[in-house]
Amino acid sequence: MFKLALRTLRLRKGGFLATFVAVFFGALVVSACGGLMETGIRSETPVQRLAAAPIVVGGQQTLKLPEEDPATLEPEDKHKFENATLPERVRLDAGLADRLRAVPGVTNVVGEVSFPAQIGPASALGHAWDSAVLTPYALSGQAPKPGEVVVDAGLGLAVGDTLPIAAHGRAGQYRVSGIAEAPQAMRDAAVFFAASDAERLAGHPGRFDTIGVFGGDVAAVTAAVGDAGVVTTGVDRGALEFPETGRSGENLIVLAAVSGGLSAMVMVFVVAGTLTLSTQQRQRELALLRAVGTTPRQLRRMVLGEALVVGLLAVGTAVVLGPVLGEWLFDRLADQHVVPDVLRFEQGWLPAVVAAGASLLAVVGAAFVAGRRASRIRPTEALAEAAVERRWLTPIRLITAILCFAGGTALGIVTVAVMTGPVAASTAGPAVMLWAFGLAAISPGVTKLMATLLRWPVEALTGVNGRVALRNTRVGAVRAAGAVTPIMLAVGIATANIYLQTTQEAVSNQAYTEDLRADAVVGAAGGLDPAVLGRVRATPGVASASEYVTSTVFVEKPFDSGQHDEGRSAVGVSELTGNAVEVPSTLGHHVGDTLSLRLGDGTPVEVRVTAVVDQRPGFERLVLPAELLVPHTTLGLAPQLLVRAAPGVDSATLTSRLREATAGLPVFVGDRGALIAAHAKGNEVGAWVNYLLVGMIIAYTVISVVNTLVTATARRRREFGVQRLSGFTRGQVLRMAGVEGGLIATIAVLLGTLVAAGSIVPFCLVVTGSLLPSGPVTIYLAVLAIAVVLSLAAILVPAWAATRGRAVDATSIGE
């Protein structure tokens, strides 16, 4: 039977090409997502600035368990703490370098500090010159003295130039004493200061970002470091140079897992529908094989063999090209600063194996379903069976639909009853897939029902062509459902995910705008000198001004079980002083309570609740004194001052006066609109990721739609010929096909909208209190237009080709 399968493949290239396309694109997307996940798991970051140091010591960026009463924590809470990544850089005490110098065999120990520096319009990282050996840089000129710098060769400066450099909130004039040449390409340009200048500008005196160790045994160095830090060698050193890659890797894992899983589930339905349609169109051929003595087992083996040959060819091609698509997606994420560009894309053999296994499993399952009915009919019924559409409602389909609908309903209830704020998307999002798969399982029956319900408007608008199209759709419900299902999936997934995102953006922007009391902002990319606050407060027309810094904290005691592994959002302002904290009312604390916190760099601190405030659910945050929070951030300075105008002073006047007051300082001044725009811009990054990955999945379903419709329509040449011989003109046949395409698109759009509503409505009830999402209606109209255009084009083009030539010739060709 395997030889027969190969011979059949040669004779039916068109039909099996559809299966090849469906399997290929499904495996391609799953393989690419697997590569992204592997990249996130590995989080390999090639070392740059620290390349010459064989051993690098850095701070422990993972939060440890609370020291007090850890046994009282639930296992899942312990897991959160054990896996939480600290968002701010954890620095090392400079005294650790002295201990490392005493380790036997160690020949040199060099501390490293990095801080943002602005050289005119160019951005760079500042370092102490003695740390240049960690790369190492080659020097042309002299090492810098206080008031001098050595600049990166890529900056295009010359020895003897004098230039302004802004760092740590201050600007100064520095003379270029030398030019440094790096042995390899660097992400960031470097500017080297004298050790005393670098320590002052770094803002963390007596502390190093990392320590490079030359010579010595790794075990001995590790023993000397103890719990004061972590010791790395080889490729792991890059994670200490770029600590932001740790959290980015975790985010990449989540993105890839969600997208890959979604793609795999969509592939199962698309491949099953395509292969079932292909087998159904060969029903006469399979029936004849049964009539001439082919056993059911032989027939199943033939169908499975055909599917496996096509599947293996498609999967083999997909796993080769999977890394190409994966790297392209990774580059797009890096371009949008979703992941650091220093992270290296890595895809080994495991994603290929997983993608191949998932795809072949879908092929085998689809082949089994497709060939089971044809193999079970009796030879005496074979020829009659070929002309009758097979029974579609099986126990497996019914059970699948019931389970999916029950799951979607349960997720909707959980979303409304349990979730708050944007986190509700974590349950609302998966619901769309359950509703979609439930409808897909019983799509032939639903398609037939919808065609019946649409009978009157279709007949009223299209006349006899519509009546024929309706009859074709109802009688050929299984065939029509093969086209309806992927369109329904595309419409449902696109509508739900896009409107979930736009609603989250709208709610986030609204919450930020409601809480924002400032009329202007004074900021600096490298942080603001604390002295700027006094100058701004003294400016005429300023009613109040406050430093504004954001970070993340972890509530240890009493333990906040509601916080996730990324902790609680925290804001630092100048209005609070000492160890005060304002907490949201949802946490259940009272004025006077004492909380034990871990700040963003892991520093423990106890604070006293001085106020309990009502905040929008899902956007709760702790408010702390800026003077408490700022020293424990990576920057070490507040990046912004929020300014409120005095009564009678408009925004334009206020910003003009602030520019005059801060003239000559390395700062920028903006109005309230600039603050809102900056916040919206931050939300757009997350939205872009969602749109990219959802767009990739939708593109796959669109290909499947065209694939299915073109295949189904092209096989109807004989049917179209019979209609033309019975009195239909070619134009009437094409109009009938167009009505069918419009009917299929209408049914799919209605079902897709229903699927999306099952996800959107519970989410919107939670975050906005409305049944309708936030976002322009043009998004929905665009999705509808794409679905209709694709359906019509995918039916009319092959129908036009199938009706070329004489009708009598078409009737002589078998199906």
Side-chain angles (χ1 to χ4, degrees):
M1 295 305 293
F2 187 73
K3 291 182 179 179
L4 180 59
L6 291 176
R7 185 173 301 174
T8 306
L9 288 175
R10 290 197 300 269
L11 296 175
R12 291 185 175 271
K13 299 183 181 67
F16 290 109
L17 179 61
T19 304
F20 178 90
V21 170
V23 177
F24 168 75
F25 281 102
L28 182 67
V29 173
V30 173
S31 178
C33 290
L36 293 178
M37 179 178 289
E38 182 176 353
T39 299
I41 294 173
R42 290 175 178 266
S43 291
E44 289 190 2
T45 309
V47 65
Q48 296 182 14
R49 272 277 299 130
L50 311 175
I55 302 174
V56 176
V57 182
Q60 177 58 262
Q61 290 292 150
T62 302
L63 188 64
K64 296 180 179 179
L65 281 169
E67 296 180 359
E68 298 182 10
D69 303 326
T72 62
L73 295 179
E74 296 295 330
E76 60 269 21
D77 294 333
K78 290 183 180 181
H79 178 73
K80 288 180 181 180
F81 269 92
E82 290 170 345
N83 292 275
T85 300
L86 293 170
E88 312 289 353
R89 180 183 279 278
V90 179
R91 293 181 168 86
L92 302 168
D93 190 284
L96 178 60
D98 296 328
R99 296 209 308 267
L100 291 172
R101 290 188 181 95
V103 174
V106 171
T107 58
N108 193 14
V109 175
V110 181
E112 153 74 355
V113 294
S114 296
F115 51 91
Q118 196 75 22
I119 307 174
S123 298
L125 284 182
H127 313 277
W129 171 248
D130 59 2
S131 68
V133 69
L134 295 173
T135 304
Y137 278 85
L139 175 63
S140 298
Q142 301 294 322
K145 299 174 183 177
E148 296 180 337
V149 292
V150 170
V151 297
D152 197 302
L155 294 174
L157 300 170
V159 174
D161 290 346
T162 299
L163 62 152
I165 298 179
H168 201 63
R170 301 176 183 177
Q173 296 289 327
Y174 293 85
R175 176 183 175 274
V176 177
S177 66
I179 306 296
E181 184 77 35
Q184 60 176 334
M186 297 286 177
R187 183 188 70 173
D188 304 296
V191 55
F192 295 96
F193 297 81
S196 58
D197 287 344
E199 185 175 36
R200 172 175 54 85
L201 295 174
H204 300 279
R207 304 189 73 80
F208 292 131
D209 292 355
T210 55
I211 298 175
V213 180
F214 295 81
D217 181 69
V218 175
V221 171
T222 302
V225 172
D227 294 333
V230 294
V231 178
T232 62
T233 59
V235 72
D236 294 336
R237 296 171 296 167
L240 295 184
E241 183 176 351
F242 305 102
E244 66 270 21
T245 58
R247 177 160 291 188
S248 297
E250 296 172 3
N251 295 337
L252 192 58
I253 292 171
V254 174
L255 287 173
V258 172
S259 302
L262 187 61
S263 302
M265 289 188 288
V266 171
M267 178 179 63
V268 169
F269 279 89
V270 171
V271 172
T274 303
L275 195 57
T276 299
L277 177 63
S278 176
T279 305
Q280 178 194 352
Q281 291 175 340
R282 299 168 53 204
Q283 197 75 2
R284 183 181 299 277
E285 171 191 326
L286 299 177
L288 287 173
L289 287 173
R290 286 288 290 121
V292 298
T294 305
T295 66
R297 182 178 181 182
Q298 289 175 320
L299 201 60
R300 286 195 300 268
R301 286 173 56 191
M302 186 193 75
V303 173
L304 179 60
E306 293 170 349
L308 279 178
V309 171
V310 176
L312 288 172
L313 291 173
V315 168
T317 308
V319 296
V320 172
L321 298 178
V324 177
L325 176 61
E327 189 167 9
W328 182 86
L329 290 172
F330 179 81
D331 290 341
R332 302 292 76 72
L333 295 174
D335 290 343
Q336 295 294 323
H337 308 291
V338 178
V339 296
D341 54 5
V342 293
L343 199 64
R344 183 166 62 192
F345 178 79
E346 290 286 343
Q347 181 162 348
W349 57 269
L350 187 57
V353 172
V354 173
S359 303
L360 291 177
L361 186 63
V363 169
V364 171
F368 174 78
V369 173
R372 189 168 62 93
R373 175 59 180 167
S375 67
R376 292 177 60 184
I377 60 176
R378 291 176 297 181
T380 55
E381 300 174 348
L383 294 177
E385 179 73 10
V388 181
E389 191 168 81
R390 66 180 178 82
R391 181 174 61 92
W392 63 268
L393 185 59
T394 63
I396 295 178
R397 282 178 175 266
L398 184 60
I399 293 173
T400 299
I402 292 174
L403 291 177
C404 288
F405 291 150
T409 303
L411 286 178
I413 295 173
V414 170
T415 300
V416 174
V418 178
M419 297 297 175
T420 59
V423 73
S426 62
T427 52
V432 69
M433 297 309 303
L434 290 175
W435 288 112
F437 291 162
L439 283 177
I442 57 173
S443 58
V446 176
T447 299
K448 191 171 184 177
L449 175 63
M450 293 296 295
T452 302
L453 295 177
L454 293 172
R455 173 186 174 186
W456 294 111
V458 171
E459 289 185 352
L461 293 173
T462 60
V464 65
N465 293 320
R467 287 195 292 272
V468 177
L470 282 167
R471 183 177 296 275
N472 286 340
T473 303
R474 290 198 302 267
V475 174
V478 174
R479 180 188 64 203
V484 167
T485 299
I487 301 176
M488 179 265 292
L489 287 173
V491 171
I493 293 172
T495 304
N497 282 277
I498 292 176
Y499 276 115
L500 286 177
Q501 184 65 52
T502 57
T503 303
Q504 287 188 74
E505 289 183 62
V507 171
S508 176
N509 292 336
Q510 183 180 359
Y512 181 80
T513 304
E514 290 174 351
D515 292 341
L516 184 63
R517 299 291 181 266
D519 299 301
V521 59
V522 178
L528 291 165
D529 186 338
V532 176
L533 178 60
R535 184 182 293 196
V536 169
R537 282 176 171 172
T539 302
V542 172
S544 61
S546 171
E547 292 181 313
Y548 184 83
V549 60
T550 59
S551 186
T552 301
V553 300
F554 299 84
V555 184
E556 279 192 351
K557 189 177 180 181
F559 183 75
D560 178 11
S561 59
Q563 69 184 334
H564 45 74
D565 57 1
E566 294 183 357
R568 288 277 183 186
S569 296
V571 172
V573 296
S574 302
E575 284 83 352
L576 294 181
T577 58
N579 279 30
V581 63
E582 290 183 1
V583 299
S585 57
T586 53
L587 295 187
H589 300 305
H590 303 89
V591 173
D593 289 350
T594 299
L595 304 181
S596 297
L597 307 179
R598 289 291 185 98
L599 300 181
D601 64 350
T603 301
V605 64
E606 290 195 350
V607 294
R608 181 175 177 273
V609 177
T610 57
V612 178
V613 295
D614 292 328
Q615 297 179 3
R616 181 185 283 263
F619 296 92
E620 298 94 343
R621 59 187 183 180
L622 305 183
V623 183
L624 297 161
E627 61 183 10
L628 174 64
L629 200 60
V630 165
H632 302 285
T633 61
T634 299
L635 194 59
L637 291 174
Q640 293 180 336
L641 296 180
L642 300 186
V643 185
R644 193 166 188 180
V649 178
D650 59 34
S651 177
T653 302
L654 177 64
T655 54
S656 177
R657 292 176 180 177
L658 289 174
R659 290 190 179 97
E660 293 176 2
T662 58
L665 298 178
V667 302
F668 65 86
V669 177
D671 58 13
R672 178 183 174 88
L675 282 168
I676 296 174
H679 181 268
K681 183 69 174 177
N683 287 335
E684 289 175 3
V685 173
W688 187 91
V689 175
N690 190 33
Y691 297 152
L692 173 66
L693 298 177
V694 170
M696 181 176 63
I697 297 169
I698 292 173
Y700 172 49
T701 57
V702 166
I703 292 170
S704 302
V705 169
V706 176
N707 187 26
T708 300
L709 287 176
V710 169
T711 302
T713 306
R715 296 288 299 173
R716 297 173 65 187
R717 184 178 179 186
R718 184 174 184 273
E719 174 191 334
F720 293 154
V722 171
Q723 288 178 334
R724 291 169 65 189
L725 288 177
S726 64
F728 273 63
T729 65
R730 187 187 182 197
Q732 288 177 316
V733 172
L734 291 177
R735 285 195 292 273
M736 179 210 67
V739 174
E740 283 190 38
L743 187 60
I744 287 173
T746 301
I747 294 173
V749 164
L750 291 175
L751 294 179
T753 302
L754 180 64
V755 163
S759 173
I760 292 173
V761 171
F763 177 78
C764 291
L765 285 174
V766 171
V767 299
T768 66
S770 170
L771 292 175
L772 298 177
S774 301
V777 70
T778 52
I779 295 175
Y780 180 67
L781 296 178
V783 172
L784 265 59
I786 292 172
V788 172
V789 170
L790 282 174
S791 299
L792 292 176
I795 283 183
L796 287 177
V797 172
W800 176 83
T803 54
R804 295 177 64 187
R806 297 187 307 169
V808 67
D809 293 336
T811 59
S812 64
I813 298 176
E815 297 180 6

